[in-house]
Amino acid sequence: MVKLNLIATAAFGLESVVALELKNLGINDVMVENGKVQFFGDYSTIARTNLWLRTADRVLIKAGEFYAESFEELFEKTKALPWEEFLPENANFPVTGKAVRSRLMSVSDCQAIVKKAIVERLKGKYRLNWFPEDGPEFKIEVSLLKDLATLTIDTSGAGLHKRGYRKLTGRAPLRETLAAALVILSRWREDRALADPFCGSGTIPVEAALIGLNIAPGVNREFAFTKWPWFPKKELELAREEARSKQRNLKLLIYGSDISEDELSYARYHAKAAGVEKSIRFFKKDFREVKFAEEYGWLISNLPYGERIGDGREVEKLYRELKILREKLPTWSFYFLSSHPAFEKLYGRKADKRRKLYNGKIETHFYQFFGPKSPKIIL
């Protein structure tokens, strides 16, 4: 059985959530690092992690790792790796790179050297002097951190946040992986109500429904590895069969509301595209007017940030008025994502827990206010 060193990349702050997801898939030997989680697996693991990981950005194969303090060292150590085990002779293998606090700070030079080293390695193995690169794509990245070079091959292709259901976007869309992370971090249970009174195009309710129904987010999409000649096609077929057999037929209490009918039309479209439209009730209403019959529930929202000029005072007024929801729903738990540094002061209550997360390049905090039914185990 082949054993591969794999890496699930993640936005900063979500590494432990990705590690939890891997453990729930039966992968226990995980190493959590900044921006990634390392683990080991086989072909089946590649298929299952790409299908199931809700909060990771990509799944990579670690082709090699070594220290390089000169371009010559980078070339020779890259060439020494067994690239022929991954790249067929017609492989299309673009090389990207990044460097942080490394002697080799010229990323473009590092990319060119890695590309040349791989070509030289393949020349010796395939007895060719020229490679057409007209076959399947193998995206390679060279990452240098304090002179430690890590070379990876991307198995995912399009990022894992691209589930396939979100075709329309309105104002400041929340990435699907972050939306799923907010639901997981809240420890929401599918037998409780969940509401988002600022739902926009519906990403949080849709991701919650996928979690509640145990639908693998990648079950209907394609990945880079599916076009690789050496990857057993049966592994993806088996992983998809397993995923579909684990879907649950439950009645969920998920609500999404917004003041914009355009945004709600996007949300309904996305819910239908994701196959969860029967699990979510969308309605138009100002957050100050929303009411829910359930005694206990989770309210999870990505709040307006006020990033545009002139929005600041309006957003601060909105934050102060959020206490209306608290007064209406005294037994609910509240979870808000915001970039405003004075959110707690404006809201009028210190969070029980806060967590730094990044919404794209925007630094935000996830403010968590626990109700009487909130779980005691906190990520």
Side-chain angles (χ1 to χ4, degrees):
M1 183 184 296
V2 65
K3 187 175 183 181
L4 299 167
N5 190 171
L6 302 172
I7 297 172
T9 62
F12 287 107
L14 297 185
E15 299 91 344
S16 64
V17 186
V18 173
L20 175 65
E21 287 197 87
L22 288 167
K23 289 175 182 177
N24 289 339
L25 288 173
I27 303 166
N28 294 310
D29 187 14
V30 301
M31 295 163 282
V32 179
E33 303 172 34
N34 286 335
K36 63 184 179 181
V37 181
Q38 293 201 54
F39 58 103
F40 293 90
D42 54 17
Y43 298 138
S44 171
T45 311
I46 290 176
R48 294 180 70 238
T49 51
N50 273 288
L51 254 64
W52 279 104
L53 289 178
R54 301 180 190 278
T55 61
D57 291 333
R58 297 177 183 278
V59 177
L60 313 175
I61 296 172
K62 186 163 84 171
E65 191 170 73
F66 49 80
Y67 282 96
E69 297 181 359
S70 67
F71 289 131
E72 182 180 0
E73 193 173 9
L74 177 63
F75 178 88
E76 293 298 337
K77 290 183 176 179
T78 298
K79 184 181 175 183
L81 296 174
W83 292 103
E84 67 280 358
E85 293 180 5
F86 302 109
L87 308 181
E89 59 187 63
N90 67 337
N92 174 20
F93 54 104
V95 178
T96 60
K98 57 185 177 182
V100 179
R101 298 195 298 277
S102 171
R103 288 178 175 84
L104 307 181
M105 286 302 293
S106 174
V107 174
S108 59
D109 285 339
C110 290
Q111 291 172 190
I113 287 165
V114 166
K115 179 82 173 186
K116 183 178 179 181
I118 296 172
V119 168
E120 289 303 311
R121 171 79 185 198
L122 297 181
K123 279 182 179 179
K125 295 297 177 178
Y126 290 127
R127 303 290 187 243
L128 294 172
N129 290 318
W130 180 79
F131 295 91
E133 295 199 46
D134 57 0
E137 187 173 62
F138 294 77
K139 290 183 179 178
I140 295 168
E141 181 181 74
V142 51
S143 173
L144 289 139
L145 175 62
K146 297 180 181 178
D147 301 324
L148 180 66
T150 305
L151 294 164
T152 57
I153 305 172
D154 179 13
T155 74
S156 301
L160 294 181
H161 70 283
K162 294 188 177 180
R163 325 290 206 209
Y165 69 79
R166 198 167 78 178
K167 306 292 186 181
L168 309 172
T169 55
R171 62 173 190 264
L174 186 70
R175 182 166 280 200
E176 296 89 330
T177 44
L178 181 54
L182 301 185
V183 177
I184 294 171
L185 285 167
S186 78
R187 292 286 182 162
W188 171 67
R189 294 186 351 222
E190 61 271 10
D191 62 342
R192 298 290 181 188
L194 183 149
D196 179 2
F198 303 91
C199 75
S201 57
T203 312
I204 290 176
V206 169
E207 289 296 322
L210 292 173
I211 291 170
L213 298 175
N214 204 37
I215 297 174
V219 70
N220 293 317
R221 58 160 281 182
E222 294 298 320
F223 306 95
F225 70 82
T226 60
K227 298 178 181 178
W228 296 351
W230 50 263
F231 192 92
K233 289 182 172 55
K234 67 175 183 179
E235 294 295 352
L236 181 59
E237 294 168 5
L238 290 171
R240 282 200 170 116
E241 287 176 12
E242 176 198 34
R244 288 177 177 132
S245 71
K246 290 185 175 182
Q247 292 181 12
R248 295 190 288 244
N249 184 19
L250 300 175
K251 182 179 180 181
L252 302 177
L253 300 168
I254 299 177
Y255 304 97
S257 58
D258 203 279
I259 59 172
S260 168
E261 188 57 53
D262 287 341
E263 293 284 343
L264 289 169
S265 68
Y266 298 157
R268 293 186 184 99
Y269 177 91
H270 294 151
K272 186 174 182 180
V276 296
E277 71 274 19
K278 294 181 180 178
S279 298
I280 308 170
R281 182 191 166 199
F282 290 108
F283 56 94
K284 182 181 179 181
K285 192 160 283 192
D286 186 280
F287 78 93
R288 303 166 188 87
E289 300 172 359
V290 296
K291 296 179 182 178
F292 303 104
E294 292 79 17
E295 183 178 3
Y296 300 105
W298 270 238
L299 191 147
I300 307 174
S301 273
N302 173 37
L303 297 174
Y305 296 172
E307 297 295 325
R308 292 177 299 183
I309 295 173
D311 286 351
R313 289 185 180 179
E314 185 178 341
V315 164
E316 290 183 358
K317 180 177 181 288
L318 182 152
Y319 288 177
R320 290 189 182 96
E321 293 177 342
L322 285 172
K323 65 181 180 181
I324 295 171
L325 290 170
R326 199 167 70 228
E327 291 166 357
K328 282 185 176 182
L329 304 166
T331 54
W332 278 47
S333 301
F334 294 84
Y335 302 86
F336 298 118
L337 187 71
S338 174
S339 65
H340 200 297
F343 173 78
E344 289 167 302
K345 182 179 179 180
L346 294 165
Y347 183 61
R349 181 178 165 187
K350 186 175 177 59
D352 295 306
K353 184 177 178 65
R354 57 186 285 184
R355 188 187 192 103
K356 184 192 292 185
L357 299 173
Y358 283 86
N359 185 7
K361 294 183 179 181
I362 301 173
E363 180 182 319
T364 66
H365 283 87
F366 189 42
Y367 297 94
Q368 303 168 54
F369 303 89
F370 304 140
K373 293 294 182 178
S374 291
K376 303 303 178 184
I377 301 173
I378 302 168
L379 278 172

